[in-house]
Every structure is written in structure tokens, then in C-alpha cells.
Amino acid sequence: MKNIYKNSHENLKKAKKILEKNNIIAVPTETVYGLAGNAYSNGSIKKIYKLKKRPKFNPLIIHYFSLKSLKKDAYIDKKFLKLFKVFSPGPLTYVLKKKKNSKISSLANANLKTIAVRFPANIIIRKLLKNLSFPLAIPSANISSGVSPVNANDVVDEFGKSIKFILDGRSTKIGLESTVINLCGKIRLLRPGAISKNEISKVLKKNIPNTKKVRKVVSPGLLKRHYSPGIPIKLNCKKRDDKAAFIVLGKKYRKNRNVFNLSQNNNMQEAARKLYKTLRKIKNLGYKKINVVKIPNNKIGIAINDRLKKAAY
Ligand code: TXA
Ligand code: MG
């Protein structure tokens, strides 16, 4: 594809130039691919919302290279630093109190008093961030409510030619969006991900309640329908149905044209990595229904089930 650019010194320079003109590019991260724009520029943020057809009340995650650059935009405390030391750079997003004199566009955080921030680990996006004088707002590179892209071709599948520059970083390592944790006020897990609630609890030496038990919606982006391939999905299925794509896990399912195995060896990391790729493939093959077997609900399985439930809503 013409709009896919391989990871090279020259192309990183091109990417930088485009971002400095407040235009939007697609970038790899270790979780999923994202649409990146200058977080200090209202113009860039408007472009992101428009491209994604994203509701304006759903704020974006701001991506940083270092702690030093974050300090201009958000208040940090001991809990944050403890987690930062263990999990960043990596797939953990922190919701912090935004500083009054922060230059982050208020459109990027939907006019809230907080901002969500992340330090991605992927080496390509880190190289890019390091050379910029502003942080990047990077939502997943899909049309709002759709399936997140996990490679450069998926971004083309979502946006066609309307994204002119996609930095290629091959397939993403994790395949699911980052864990989101609220650290402003009561600690809450807002979105499960590769870093589990238990791991976070251990570092903080503190129990974190389930979001389910929290009545008020704390994350405006917790839309009920999300991550959806646009086909009805049925969960906890036991048997193969000839008319539906069947997503399975483990050795006991026989190969068949409509059987899609997330991991023969029940490797949950592999299953997470393959989930979005599989949903996209099934959709593009023209299936009208998807059945999914029961997925064990622990560790990253919790994040897989979260995405499947929202895709099935
Ligand atoms: O792994 C990821 O986080 C990817 C890659 C590209 O970095 N990005 C991503 O962004 O998943 P997005 O925009 O698809 O999801 C951002 C989530 C939404 O659920 C949003 O509501 C939540 O973060 N969020 C952003 N700012 C927030 C805030 N101030 N308070 C609470 N939730 C916030
Ligand atoms: Mg998203």
C-alpha cells in the first residue's frame, strides 16, 4: 500500500514534519495502532474526532515519552510513581488531575478536569515522541465503536485513503488496548487490559473495587457497544453452527473452514493478540454471525471477555 511507510530514520522524520503541521498519522504501539495528533493543538484534535466519527464527550489518551514532559500537564503523586516505576513504559494508562496551565487541548480530554496519560513501550512510537516538542493524543485507529487495528493493513481497512501516512510497526505485541486506571480520587479500574487489576493491587498494596460495583460511570468512554465488527456475536457457545463463524480456544476443536482458533495451546497472550485480527477476518469473509466459546475469566482473559461482551452488545 502506498500510504504505509516502513520504520526508517527518514520516515520518522517525515512523520515528525506531518505532526508539526498539526496533521494526523497512524502509528503502531505495543497494544493497538492509533491515530496520532499534536495534543496541544485544537486543530489536530478536531481532525482526530472527525476522522474517527468519535463522540466529543469521549476523551483521548495523551501519550508521553518521559515523566518530565508529563509534569507540565498533570499532577502526580506517590501512588502514580509506584505504578509508573513498575509498569511504564507499557500498556497502562493513568487518569490524573490536569494542571490548570497545561497546554493540552481541552477538546482532547472532553473538557474534564482530568487527563488520561500513557507512556507507550513500542520502540517506534517512542523514537517519534522523543523528537517532538509536544505529547501525542492517540486513540485507537478505528472508526468509533469498531474493532481496533493491530497492523498497518487494518488501518487501511478502517480508513482507506483518508489516512495518508501509516508508520508500519508490524503486528502489535499485545493486541488489546491498555489497562486504564483512575488515580484521581478513588482508585478504579476503568478498562481491563494486559496489566491486570491484581498486579496493580499488589504494587499499591491496596484492593481495587470492580467497576461493576461502581454506580456512576467514571469513564465517559465506557460506551456499552464498542469493539464491534458489526455482526451479531453470541458468547459462551458450546457447539459449532454451520452458518456462523466459531471462535474457539484449545485443542479439542477440530479444524473446519468456519472454526477460528485463538490459541491451540490455550495461551491467553496469544489469544489476546489474535482476537481483533480474527474478528476483522471473519467480518471480511462475509459471515453474518459469530459464536464464541467460553473464555477463562482470569488475567488477560478478563480483558478479552470485556471486549467480547462489548462487541456482542
Ligand atoms: O492502548 C491504548 O490505550 C490505545 C493505544 C493507541 O495507545 N489507545 C486507546 O485509546 O485505546 P482510545 O481512545 O481508543 O481509548 C481511550 C479510553 C476511552 O475509554 C476513554 O474514555 C478513556 O480512555 N479516557 C480518556 N481520557 C479519560 C479521562 N480523562 N477520564 C476517564 N477516562 C478517560
Ligand atoms: Mg478505541
Side-chain angles (χ1 to χ4, degrees):
M1 272 306 233
K2 252 202 195 145
N3 53 349
I4 298 178
Y5 291 78
K6 71 174 197 296
N7 168 29
S8 69
H9 184 67
E10 208 175 275
N11 285 337
L12 280 169
K13 273 212 312 227
K14 275 189 194 153
K16 180 177 185 243
K17 275 205 183 129
I18 300 172
L19 291 166
E20 283 169 344
K21 285 188 187 140
N22 297 332
N23 285 319
I24 307 307
I25 63 169
V27 294
T29 83
E30 71 278 26
T31 56
V32 298
Y33 274 66
L35 290 189
N38 178 355
Y40 289 163
S41 149
N42 287 332
S44 294
I45 303 302
K46 276 186 194 158
K47 284 176 195 163
I48 291 180
Y49 277 92
K50 195 171 169 203
L51 280 164
K52 278 184 62 77
K53 304 190 173 82
R54 178 165 172 131
K56 297 208 169 48
F57 59 80
N58 188 1
L60 310 177
I61 299 175
I62 313 302
H63 293 60
Y64 289 89
F65 176 73
S66 72
L67 201 53
K68 197 178 150 210
S69 45
L70 169 72
K71 282 179 181 166
K72 293 183 219 160
D73 295 322
Y75 294 100
I76 59 167
D77 60 8
K78 274 188 194 154
K79 285 175 292 187
F80 166 80
L81 285 172
K82 269 190 198 167
L83 295 173
F84 178 87
K85 266 188 204 154
V86 180
F87 299 116
S88 293
L92 181 58
T93 295
Y94 313 88
V95 174
L96 303 172
K97 191 167 182 229
K98 186 182 181 182
K99 284 194 173 166
K100 280 231 169 68
N101 60 355
S102 157
K103 283 197 268 177
I104 298 292
S105 160
S106 58
L107 302 174
N109 68 318
N111 263 310
L112 298 168
K113 292 201 165 81
T114 55
I115 48 171
V117 307
R118 180 160 107 79
F119 305 83
N122 174 285
I123 187 150
I124 302 171
I125 186 67
R126 269 183 74 74
K127 269 191 210 158
L128 190 59
L129 282 167
K130 194 179 176 186
N131 289 314
L132 291 169
S133 57
F134 46 82
L136 293 173
I138 319 184
S140 52
N142 52 278
I143 306 289
S144 184
S145 90
V147 175
S148 297
V150 293
N151 59 51
N153 283 316
D154 291 354
V155 180
V156 178
D157 194 35
E158 286 288 322
F159 292 101
K161 284 178 192 149
S162 56
I163 294 290
K164 301 213 168 44
F165 194 100
I166 303 168
L167 253 184
D168 193 359
R170 309 244 177 103
S171 288
T172 63
K173 197 173 139 198
I174 294 172
L176 293 179
E177 303 82 354
S178 62
T179 305
V180 181
I181 184 164
N182 178 55
L183 293 179
C184 188
K186 289 218 170 89
I187 302 178
R188 299 268 188 256
L189 190 80
L190 301 181
R191 178 172 76 184
I195 295 172
S196 70
K197 192 165 73 115
N198 283 350
E199 286 175 274
I200 296 171
S201 295
K202 268 186 204 153
V203 173
L204 293 177
K205 300 194 178 75
K206 199 175 159 56
N207 185 45
I208 302 167
N210 279 319
T211 353
K212 264 190 202 152
K213 289 182 189 140
V214 184
R215 280 216 199 102
K216 220 176 106 196
V217 180
V218 264
S219 189
L222 295 177
L223 307 171
K224 285 206 171 111
R225 185 198 168 98
H226 217 135
Y227 317 111
S228 165
I231 316 165
I233 300 184
K234 218 168 112 192
L235 307 178
N236 302 320
C237 296
K238 292 205 170 98
K239 276 193 194 140
R240 197 176 66 85
D241 163 354
D242 260 340
K243 290 188 203 101
F246 193 27
I247 298 182
V248 303
L249 189 64
K251 281 200 177 69
K252 77 173 188 195
Y253 299 91
R254 259 202 270 150
K255 278 206 177 125
N256 200 299
R257 63 165 179 90
N258 66 339
V259 172
F260 300 84
N261 204 323
L262 295 180
S263 170
Q264 293 271 354
N265 307 316
N266 272 303
N267 177 326
M268 297 304 282
Q269 259 77 29
E270 184 190 356
R273 200 161 53 234
K274 281 201 189 151
L275 180 68
Y276 288 155
K277 203 180 272 184
T278 304
L279 289 175
R280 192 175 292 278
K281 189 169 166 191
I282 288 169
K283 178 186 135 195
N284 289 340
L285 283 170
Y287 282 94
K288 298 283 179 276
K289 257 175 22 182
I290 304 177
N291 294 339
V292 189
V293 294
K294 194 177 171 111
I295 309 284
N297 202 42
N298 53 50
K299 296 185 181 161
I300 202 166
I302 296 173
I304 296 177
N305 281 318
D306 168 75
R307 305 308 192 271
L308 281 171
K309 253 189 223 151
K310 285 180 178 146
Y313 185 81

